[in-house]
Amino acid sequence: MHLAYPAVLAALLFCTGLYGVLARRSAILVLMSVELMLNAVNLNLVAFDVWLRDTLHAGQALTLFVIAIAAAEIGIGLAIVLMVYRNRGTSDIDRLRDTAEGPGSSGSPGGAGPEATDATPAQKAEATA
């Protein structure tokens, strides 16, 4: 068996999943992209296991562990996304980040925390600019 074919396919799958994680805004699509990346890893594990002719079949055993962990991750992740969608009404990652970092939170840019409440309006405008 040529190792190049499954390795190239796995690289394409992994790059597609990485693009999905970096470019998508929906949390469900991000979870699907992570699953695509894990499937690329599984393909590599099985391909290298067959290519090396391992008698213990360690690559296939690790693939089963990755599948089990991926199933648990997608179950918990989907439950969290559904609860966030029920509470907030959206699964858009950018909107969820904006609602979590309101103007009074200390994690917002500009450092508008509790100590900035007695500042003048001009200082507040300068801090947010």
Side-chain angles (χ1 to χ4, degrees):
M1 177 177 140
H2 294 288
L3 186 61
Y5 299 130
V8 168
L9 179 61
L12 289 174
L13 282 174
F14 192 85
C15 290
T16 304
L18 185 65
Y19 173 75
V21 167
L22 295 176
R24 299 294 177 192
R25 293 185 180 181
S26 174
I28 294 174
L29 291 177
V30 169
L31 286 174
M32 289 173 58
S33 298
V34 169
E35 288 293 321
L36 197 62
M37 292 168 62
L38 289 173
N39 285 330
V41 170
N42 287 338
L43 182 61
N44 267 336
L45 285 171
V46 171
F48 277 98
D49 182 49
V50 170
W51 185 65
L52 293 173
R53 293 188 171 106
D54 186 18
T55 57
L56 295 176
H57 299 293
Q60 294 178 18
L62 283 174
T63 300
L64 290 175
F65 283 116
V66 170
I67 289 171
I69 290 171
E73 174 258 335
I74 200 68
I76 292 172
L78 191 58
I80 291 171
V81 168
L82 286 174
M83 290 305 296
V84 167
Y85 182 77
R86 284 182 185 169
N87 290 335
R88 303 279 175 106
T90 184
S91 65
D92 187 7
I93 295 173
D94 291 333
R95 287 187 185 171
L96 293 175
R97 187 179 315 128
D98 291 341
T99 57
E101 296 175 359
S105 67
S106 60
S108 65
E115 66 274 7
T117 56
D118 56 331
T120 65
Q123 290 172 341
K124 288 181 184 178
E126 183 182 352
T128 58

